[in-house]
């Protein structure tokens, strides 16, 4: 080999030794690139079980773009993706009832690390609380509910009309507490409330509608003086010449009722119209029954009706919290055993009624107890009409509907009033 060629070959070997091609960033992916593709596993993953949730904390992974968060109950399920600057996350959706494994993976340049895991035991999920009542008194709203199985506490949520539910209790109320009073409400505003039960690491489902009340000078069973009262949201529908839905208070010899009635043959100006009607039965003697109408109403529309009886026999009638009339029935004065009922009736064979009652509330002997569970007794007098009380215990709701049958040609709801109704009495 010539001298020049030997020198050139030696120069190439020397250059290769100083600058190996595999280490040059301009040539492919060498060891430096392989090291960069390795993503460190997050360190020191901790899971803290709180009342109603599980909080995860982990040590930041250098250069992480974001993190994947998983929960394992049989198999892993990805719960969330959070930014690389975040090192904590709260799980409020765990089903509970055993051991659950949480895991966090770091993600960098599209590469996902192995999972860092931690296992915790969570309580059984509490049952959804049953809401009892929402009452307005002394410029405050009081929400009550029934005890929820497996609950160690409760969270309260409030919604102002037109808004969304927002948690108003920072920490859960104790499991022994079954009411919440909101003193921050404003007059003439409408609020809804719902309750969620919690236990170690878990929380229940909750009513998406809750209970709603308007803070106004609204007369209700709590703030209206009376010895006996019955109130409900009432809606009337039906077919034929006449039908009604009523609240009733009665003894064996006298009665007062107030409700919604459609009457094809009603006296002017109520002929073929729907109205709020009062029936005052002072006794069973002929001519001792008075009928009056307080104003027009509408079918297929829900009204909040209330009937009250004072100790002196003064009976008052309310529509949507406003008094619309009164009557005197001396035979209901100083009574200790007035029966409270709801009634749905129709006039003739073939006429039908569909009366809906909900949010039914009752006061007897001057006492109203929002927590009391009332029993029902079916006094229905027509085989074509059926009363459904299956939702009374859970929603304080009853429906009375059907088609009148069994009357003779000369009978109607005036001459055979004891044969045309669906009746539920509370005791």
């Amino acid at each position: 080999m010539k001298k020049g060629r030997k020198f050139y070959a030696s120069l190439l070997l020397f250059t290769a030794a100083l600058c190996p091609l595999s280490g040059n960033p301009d040539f492919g992916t060498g060891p430096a690139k392989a090291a960069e593709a390795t993503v460190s596993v997050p360190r020191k993953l901790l899971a803290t079980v709180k009342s109603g949730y599980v909080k995860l904390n982990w040590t930041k992974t250098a250069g992480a773009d974001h993190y994947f968060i998983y929960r394992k109950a049989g198999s892993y399920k990805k719960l969330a993706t959070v930014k690389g600057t975040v090192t904590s996350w709260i799980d409020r959706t765990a089903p509970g009832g055993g051991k659950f494994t949480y895991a966090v993976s770091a993600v960098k340049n599209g590469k996902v690390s192995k999972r860092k895991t931690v296992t915790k035991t969570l309580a059984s999920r509490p049952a959804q609380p049953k809401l009892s009542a929402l009452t307005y008194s002394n410029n405050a709203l009081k929400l009550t509910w029934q005890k929820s199985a497996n609950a160690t506490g409760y969270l309260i949520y409030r919604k102002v009309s037109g808004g969304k539910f927002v948690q108003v209790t920072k920490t859960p109320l104790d499991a022994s507490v079954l009411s919440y009073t909101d003193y921050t409400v404003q007059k003439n505003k409408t609020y809804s409330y719902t309750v969620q039960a919690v236990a170690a690491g878990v929380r229940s489902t909750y009513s998406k509608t809750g209970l709603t009340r308007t803070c106004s000078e609204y007369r209700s069973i709590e703030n209206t003086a009376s010895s006996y009262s019955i109130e409900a949201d009432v809606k009337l529908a039906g077919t034929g010449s006449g039908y009604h839905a009523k609240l009733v208070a009665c003894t064996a010899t006298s009665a007062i009722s107030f409700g919604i009635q459609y009457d094809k043959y009603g006296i002017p100006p109520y002929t073929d119209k729907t109205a709020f009607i009062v029936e005052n039965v002072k006794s069973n003697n002929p001519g001792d029954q008075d009928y009056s109408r307080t104003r027009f109403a509408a079918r297929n529309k829900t009204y909040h009706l209330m009937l009250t009886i004072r100790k002196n026999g003064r009976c008052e009638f309310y529509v949507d919290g406003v008094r619309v009339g009164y009557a005197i029935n001396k035979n209901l004065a100083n009574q200790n055993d007035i029966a409270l009922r709801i009634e749905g009736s129709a006039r003739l064979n073939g006429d039908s009624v569909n009366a809906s009652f909900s949010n039914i509330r009752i006061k007897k002997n001057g006492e109203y107890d929002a927590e009391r569970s009332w029993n029902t007794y079916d006094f229905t007098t027509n085989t074509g009409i059926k009363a459904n009380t299956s939702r009374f215990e859970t929603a304080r709701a009853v429906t009375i509907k059907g088609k009148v049958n069994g009357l003779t040609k000369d009978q109607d709801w005036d001459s055979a009033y004891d044969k045309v109704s669906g009746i539920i009495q509370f005791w």
Side-chain angles (χ1 to χ4, degrees):
M1 182 181 296
K2 293 184 180 180
K3 185 176 180 180
R5 290 180 180 176
K6 288 182 180 181
F7 173 78
Y8 180 69
S10 299
L11 181 60
L12 287 176
L13 290 172
F14 177 74
T15 302
L18 292 177
C19 304
L21 294 177
S22 61
N24 192 323
D26 294 330
F27 295 89
T29 56
K33 281 290 183 181
E36 188 177 328
T38 302
V39 185
S40 298
V41 178
R43 297 181 294 115
K44 297 182 180 179
L45 175 62
L46 299 176
T48 306
V49 179
K50 298 285 188 178
S51 185
Y53 63 93
V54 179
K55 185 175 182 179
L56 303 180
N57 294 88
W58 59 91
T59 302
K60 179 176 173 61
T61 297
D65 299 317
H66 45 272
Y67 299 95
F68 291 154
I69 300 168
Y70 308 84
R71 184 181 64 223
K72 182 180 180 182
S75 59
Y76 277 110
K77 174 185 178 182
K78 188 164 79 170
L79 302 177
T81 300
V82 299
K83 295 180 180 180
T85 55
V86 175
T87 56
S88 67
W89 188 78
I90 291 176
D91 179 20
R92 297 182 177 88
T93 64
K99 291 185 177 181
F100 292 82
T101 298
Y102 288 90
V104 177
S105 293
V107 183
K108 180 180 179 181
N109 295 330
K111 302 292 184 179
V112 182
S113 76
K114 292 183 178 180
R115 295 170 180 150
K116 183 68 174 179
T117 63
V118 62
T119 299
K120 290 290 180 179
T121 300
L122 308 184
S124 296
R125 192 176 196 183
Q128 177 175 315
K130 292 182 179 180
L131 305 178
S132 298
L134 180 61
T135 57
Y136 180 55
S137 180
N138 298 322
N139 299 321
L141 282 168
K142 182 180 181 180
L143 175 70
T144 56
W145 61 92
Q146 297 179 27
K147 185 176 181 180
S148 179
N150 301 319
T152 61
Y154 299 96
L155 295 172
I156 312 302
Y157 297 83
R158 184 183 80 171
K159 177 173 66 174
V160 182
S161 180
K164 297 180 179 180
F165 276 116
V166 176
Q167 184 177 321
V168 293
T169 48
K170 292 184 179 179
T171 58
L173 302 177
D174 188 82
S176 62
V177 177
L178 299 177
S179 68
Y180 171 79
T181 303
D182 187 353
Y183 296 99
T184 67
V185 296
Q186 300 178 30
K187 287 186 177 180
N188 300 317
K189 284 195 174 183
T190 300
Y191 299 88
S192 300
Y193 295 81
T194 192
V195 181
Q196 190 173 42
V198 299
V202 292
R203 55 183 66 192
S204 72
T205 57
Y206 59 91
S207 169
K208 298 297 179 64
T209 55
L211 296 180
T212 301
R213 202 68 184 258
T214 300
C215 299
S216 61
E217 296 305 319
Y218 184 102
R219 307 308 296 176
S220 67
I221 205 165
E222 305 99 346
N223 60 19
T224 304
S226 66
S227 292
Y228 289 82
S229 295
I230 179 169
E231 68 173 349
D233 294 326
V234 184
K235 183 169 71 171
L236 174 69
T239 61
S241 65
Y243 39 90
H244 64 230
K246 290 182 177 181
L247 308 178
V248 182
C250 63
T251 66
T253 59
S254 58
I256 192 81
S257 67
F258 175 60
I260 311 168
Q261 177 171 290
Y262 165 73
D263 192 349
K264 183 177 180 179
Y265 306 113
I267 61 172
Y270 299 103
T271 306
D272 200 24
K273 302 292 183 180
T274 305
F276 296 108
I277 189 167
V278 175
E279 182 179 3
N280 188 6
V281 181
K282 299 173 185 177
S283 75
N284 291 326
N285 298 324
D288 251 0
Q289 298 82 37
D290 292 333
Y291 299 89
S292 61
R293 293 166 177 82
T294 63
R295 68 182 195 185
F296 290 106
R299 286 167 283 177
N300 290 303
K301 179 178 178 179
T302 300
Y303 297 94
H304 188 80
L305 306 186
M306 183 168 69
L307 164 64
T308 69
I309 303 100
R310 294 179 183 249
K311 194 75 173 176
N312 61 3
R314 180 185 174 95
C315 307
E316 298 179 322
F317 320 109
Y318 296 81
V319 177
D320 294 334
V322 177
R323 198 185 76 174
V324 295
Y326 74 95
I328 303 297
N329 188 322
K330 292 183 178 180
N331 289 327
L332 293 177
N334 300 309
Q335 295 289 336
N336 295 320
D337 193 23
I338 295 177
L340 298 176
R341 300 174 169 181
I342 55 175
E343 174 185 298
S345 301
R347 172 185 273 112
L348 301 169
N349 282 337
D351 290 350
S352 71
V353 63
N354 187 347
S356 300
F357 303 84
S358 59
N359 294 320
I360 301 168
R361 302 200 295 170
I362 296 163
K363 179 196 287 186
K364 278 196 171 186
N365 295 313
E367 296 181 0
Y368 169 67
D369 182 357
E371 301 299 322
R372 175 171 174 175
S373 296
W374 291 87
N375 297 312
T376 60
Y377 189 86
D378 194 333
F379 275 102
T380 297
T381 62
N382 191 280
T383 57
I385 298 177
K386 303 297 180 184
N388 184 349
T389 61
S390 62
R391 295 181 59 245
F392 179 68
E393 183 177 352
T394 58
R396 307 190 304 280
V398 177
T399 57
I400 299 174
K401 62 182 180 179
K403 187 177 292 187
V404 168
N405 60 32
L407 301 181
T408 62
K409 291 183 179 180
D410 60 343
Q411 288 180 321
D412 62 12
W413 61 7
D414 290 322
S415 61
Y417 64 89
D418 58 336
K419 298 178 181 179
V420 295
S421 299
I423 299 171
I424 293 295
Q425 181 167 306
F426 305 99
W427 59 279

